[in-house]
């Protein structure tokens, strides 16, 4: 019987592991397929407090993992396939086992949205990517497009200029959503270009991306443009598929939680981008992780008390 199982190994999950481990709950963290979550595929992290020079996303992930393990968190590389909620005991099935637990912290995060256009799935890994850290190196001297106008698009676009000859940001409006610092840095980078008010209609290539068809949203005109690679940064969707029909969610499938980070099932908490579609920062996810952990600790103390009373009766 576990005290608590943390599902997910991003900022929220690892922070929850640090806090629950320091509370002697001996948490079990099940990593999921994407070890380290979004931070592990982020390049430069410049706004995480305590690191004035900034650091790379994977470095931050490794530091958090070490910190959690130092206090006794058990981190298993395994994926949860099914969760059955009970009162008060829950069951968690993974690829390699089955666990019983008194509480759960869901920190499954969010995944990159796809464009859903022809050629995107077919040419994935052949010029289409959602991860500049993973794939940027392969595009030395190439011409790239980054789709999106948010912080991720600009930050990862800037990172790609280290390898590429040219990086064009394709944005559906004529104003970026990204923050001022990133916008200014992009303006000062000669390799960055912009294709405003435009979307990709399809991606073309014979076994490798060769061109795209762009639509100008103001005129409706389309044109073909040669390109070697496309990086997509058009936002995220929450990873809540496992909990469909079992936990309350909003109309965009984000988990609904109360002021104690508890979901609609007692003893089941959530932390990070699986419930947060407002802040979505590394530091806010870490903060939510600590809050869920503290609430879990209090819940478990109450539960023990309740069970002891039942036994006395
Ligand atoms: P985001 O802020 O949601 O931006 C998504 C971008 O994609 C928007 O510009 C949006 O256009 C565009 N878009 C959405 N759907 C599209 C579609 N179907 N076709 C074309 N374009 C589409 O997502 P994000 O940039 O990944 O950022 C997520 C969160 O992480 C944000 O809170 C951000 O601040 C944070 N973050 C922070 C940093 C940093 O501080 N350095 C770095 C990375 C991420 P519209 O603008 O027209 O809506």
């Amino acid at each position: 019987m576990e005290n608590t199982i943390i599902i997910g190994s991003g900022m929220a999950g690892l922070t929850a592991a640090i806090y629950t481990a320091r509370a002697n709950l001996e948490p079990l963290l099940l990593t999921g397929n994407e070890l380290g979550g979004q931070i592990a595929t982020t390049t430069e992290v410049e706004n995480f407090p305590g690191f004035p020079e900034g650091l790379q996303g994977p470095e931050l992930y490794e530091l958090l993992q070490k910190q959690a393990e130092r206090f006794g968190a058990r981190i298993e590389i395994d994926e949860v396939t099914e969760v059955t909620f009970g009162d008060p005991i829950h069951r968690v099935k993974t690829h390699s086992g089955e666990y019983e637990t008194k509480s759960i912290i869901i920190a499954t995060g969010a995944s990159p949205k796809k464009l859903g256009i022809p050629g995107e799935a077919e040419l994935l890994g052949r010029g289409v990517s959602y991860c500049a850290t993973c794939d940027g190196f392969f595009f030395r001297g190439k011409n790239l497009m980054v789709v999106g106008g948010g912080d991720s698009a600009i930050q990862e676009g800037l990172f790609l200029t280290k390898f590429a000859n040219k990086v064009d940001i394709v944005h559906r409006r004529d104003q970026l959503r990204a923050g001022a610092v990133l916008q200014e840095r992009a303006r000062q980078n000669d390799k960055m270009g912009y294709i405003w008010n435009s979307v990709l209609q399809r991606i073309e290539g014979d076994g490798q991306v060769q061109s795209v068809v762009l639509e100008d949203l103001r005129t409706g005109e389309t044109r073909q443009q040669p390109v070697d690679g496309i990086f997509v940064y058009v936002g995220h969707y929450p990873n809540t598929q496992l909990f469909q029909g079992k936990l309350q969610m909003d109309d965009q499938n984000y988990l609904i939680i109360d002021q104690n980070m508890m979901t609609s099932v007692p003893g089941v908490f959530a932390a990070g981008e699986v419930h947060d579609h407002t802040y979505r920062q590394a530091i806010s996810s870490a903060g939510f992780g600590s809050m869920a952990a503290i609430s879990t600790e209090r819940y478990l103390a109450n539960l023990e008390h309740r069970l002891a009373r039942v036994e006395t009766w």
Side-chain angles (χ1 to χ4, degrees):
M1 174 70 67
E2 299 291 340
N3 289 315
T4 193
I5 288 183
I6 300 166
I7 309 178
S9 53
M11 295 302 298
L14 284 168
T15 307
I18 294 169
Y19 272 73
T20 48
R22 291 195 78 244
N24 281 338
L25 295 180
E26 299 172 339
L28 172 65
L29 184 148
L30 302 168
T31 60
N33 261 346
E34 283 160 30
L35 222 62
Q38 289 180 62
I39 204 69
T41 61
T42 301
T43 50
E44 191 83 23
V45 181
E46 288 189 317
N47 52 8
F48 201 85
F51 297 93
E53 307 303 326
L55 78 172
Q56 296 295 308
E59 267 181 271
L60 181 56
Y61 160 65
E62 275 174 32
L63 288 172
L64 287 178
Q65 185 182 353
K66 264 193 203 150
Q67 198 174 353
E69 283 175 335
R70 181 181 149 211
F71 294 114
R74 291 160 296 147
I75 298 180
E76 298 277 335
I77 301 178
D78 202 351
E79 193 183 18
V80 174
T81 54
E82 196 184 334
V83 181
T84 310
F85 299 117
D87 178 20
I89 304 305
H90 316 287
R91 284 176 186 280
V92 176
K93 248 192 207 170
T94 68
H95 283 305
S96 59
E98 193 166 344
Y99 303 90
E100 285 189 332
T101 182
K102 295 177 206 161
S103 68
I104 296 178
I105 299 176
I106 299 172
T108 46
S111 293
K113 271 189 196 158
K114 313 257 183 309
L115 292 170
I117 55 172
E120 184 183 21
E122 297 84 337
L123 293 165
L124 177 64
R126 297 160 183 269
V128 175
S129 172
Y130 304 89
C131 178
T133 334
C134 322
D135 302 327
F137 183 78
F138 301 113
F139 293 90
R140 207 170 277 282
K142 304 283 188 192
N143 293 324
L144 301 179
M145 282 180 185
V146 172
V147 187
D151 283 324
S152 300
I154 303 305
Q155 176 167 307
E156 304 306 320
L158 281 165
F159 171 75
L160 289 167
T161 61
K162 291 186 188 176
F163 310 100
N165 175 49
K166 182 95 203 301
V167 176
D168 280 322
I169 302 288
V170 180
H171 186 32
R172 62 184 178 184
R173 295 186 292 134
D174 61 0
Q175 251 186 343
L176 294 175
R177 180 180 290 277
V181 173
L182 282 172
Q183 287 202 38
E184 184 50 33
R185 205 170 294 162
R187 250 194 297 278
Q188 287 171 11
N189 189 315
D190 291 343
K191 287 188 178 176
M192 295 283 277
Y194 298 90
I195 302 173
W196 299 112
N197 302 302
S198 298
V199 292
L200 264 54
Q201 263 196 356
R202 59 175 186 276
I203 304 171
E204 300 172 327
D206 188 8
Q208 186 69 32
V209 169
Q210 287 164 327
S211 61
V212 292
V213 174
L214 285 162
E215 181 187 354
D216 185 319
L217 293 175
R218 287 164 312 179
T219 61
E221 280 170 15
T222 57
R223 67 186 162 94
Q224 193 187 39
Q225 184 165 321
V227 69
D228 302 308
I230 293 146
F231 287 78
V232 181
Y233 288 102
V234 294
H236 298 87
Y237 63 88
N239 293 318
T240 50
Q241 300 87 329
L242 267 180
F243 314 111
Q244 283 291 342
K246 298 181 176 180
L247 295 178
Q248 264 182 24
M249 296 178 195
D250 67 15
D251 56 357
Q252 291 174 65
N253 294 327
Y254 284 83
L255 292 181
I256 293 175
I257 55 169
D258 68 11
Q259 71 277 17
N260 296 315
M261 316 295 292
M262 193 142 85
T263 65
S264 50
V265 170
V268 179
F269 299 82
E273 293 194 26
V274 72
H275 69 83
D276 164 37
H277 43 76
T278 309
Y279 302 104
R280 300 185 300 177
Q281 304 294 305
I283 187 64
S284 50
S285 288
F288 287 131
S290 72
M291 289 151 69
I294 292 168
S295 289
T296 300
E297 193 188 338
R298 290 179 185 159
Y299 168 84
L300 286 174
N302 279 335
L303 183 68
E304 296 303 337
H305 193 64
R306 204 179 92 197
L307 294 178
R309 271 213 328 251
V310 171
E311 273 170 24
T312 314
W313 273 86

